Amino acid sequence: MLLKDERDELCGIGRRLAGTGLVTGSAGNVSVRSGDLVAVTPGGMMLDRMAPADCPVVDMSARLVEGERAPSSETPMHLALYEATPAAAIVHTHSTYGAVVATTMSELPPIHYNTLLLGGVVRVAEYATYGTPELAENVRAAMAGGKRAALMANHGGVAIGRDLDEAFENARLLEWLCGVYVRAKTIGEPRVLTDEELARVVERGLTPPEFPRVT
Ligand SMILES: [Zn+2]
């Protein structure tokens, strides 16, 4: 089986996404890259009920290389992000607070310094129908400039990482930041950190971990 370890990992992350409530049912998708191949979750399947053989392997042109099931409908977005960033893994969810912010705002302001771990202000990609090349392009644009996460208008969020664990943690951080923002709005106007305040945090060393150089 091609990418056996990676497909095992996809199943583990699927269970964690369901267990933490970031994903309900099949409303999310995950992928991991190894060289020129990508193992991705199948379309329309509960993420906590997948077996490794359920996860198809595609090449960078979205051609099915191995697997019985069809790749997730958002595979074009995953491939666009692998092309545009050094990501080795991608997690996309419809997590609640991420979807709330993505439905109401054009960006998530930096209200907590940990937003720097995602590359600062999180942009909301312009709306496009799910699974389309337009959506893939909009998300790629929102992720430009070294971002580790983006929101997708009226849809959800996406996070990248050097491996699946990191992409998962970035997705969890994105949801936490959105949750803090939304809850803060219920009791007042959240104070947004200034560029200077954020610069001082960067000086203390809080920046996203470097991606390995792609050779
Ligand atoms: Zn989606």
Side-chain angles (χ1 to χ4, degrees):
M1 183 189 278
L2 284 170
L3 270 51
K4 167 82 169 67
D5 291 347
E6 288 82 357
R7 288 153 108 174
D8 277 344
E9 279 184 75
L10 280 183
C11 297
I13 289 291
R15 287 190 291 273
R16 287 172 73 191
L17 284 166
T20 51
L22 285 175
V23 162
T24 49
S26 60
N29 37 75
V30 185
S31 70
V32 57
R33 178 180 184 175
S34 177
D36 289 332
L37 295 177
V38 173
V40 61
T41 50
M45 195 168 179
M46 300 286 196
L47 287 198
D48 56 350
R49 303 206 189 143
M50 302 177 302
D54 292 320
C55 299
V57 173
V58 298
D59 66 17
M60 297 301 282
S61 311
R63 273 189 295 265
L64 183 65
V65 176
E66 192 175 283
E68 299 294 316
R69 293 179 180 271
S72 162
S73 54
E74 292 298 2
T75 300
M77 176 184 76
H78 289 246
L79 296 179
L81 291 180
Y82 287 125
E83 197 180 283
T85 74
I90 298 170
V91 170
H92 161 57
T93 81
H94 300 171
S95 61
T96 306
Y97 288 109
V100 169
V101 172
T103 301
T104 50
M105 307 189 64
S106 58
E107 62 179 36
L108 175 68
I111 39 112
H112 190 284
Y113 64 85
N114 272 348
T115 194
L116 289 168
L117 291 170
L118 299 180
V121 168
V122 179
R123 301 187 195 105
V124 178
E126 273 184 54
Y127 180 80
T129 309
Y130 85 92
T132 59
E134 289 79 11
L135 181 59
E137 187 46 48
N138 294 351
V139 173
R140 188 215 300 248
M143 197 74 90
K147 302 286 184 188
R148 302 296 197 256
L151 292 162
M152 300 150 70
N154 303 82
H155 187 155
V158 60
I160 64 174
R162 294 172 296 180
D163 54 33
L164 270 173
D165 277 339
E166 190 172 276
F168 170 81
E169 288 304 333
N170 284 342
R172 193 145 71 157
L173 175 58
L174 175 62
E175 177 65 359
W176 182 80
L177 289 166
C178 290
V180 169
Y181 184 81
V182 171
R183 290 177 177 110
K185 283 289 271 187
T186 66
I187 57 169
E189 188 54 35
R191 192 178 81 81
V192 174
L193 292 168
T194 64
D195 289 346
E196 192 186 8
E197 286 166 336
L198 289 169
R200 275 191 227 119
V201 176
V202 171
E203 278 167 24
R204 293 188 69 89
L206 193 81
T207 54
E210 287 291 316
F211 278 117
R213 286 177 64 85
V214 179
T215 52

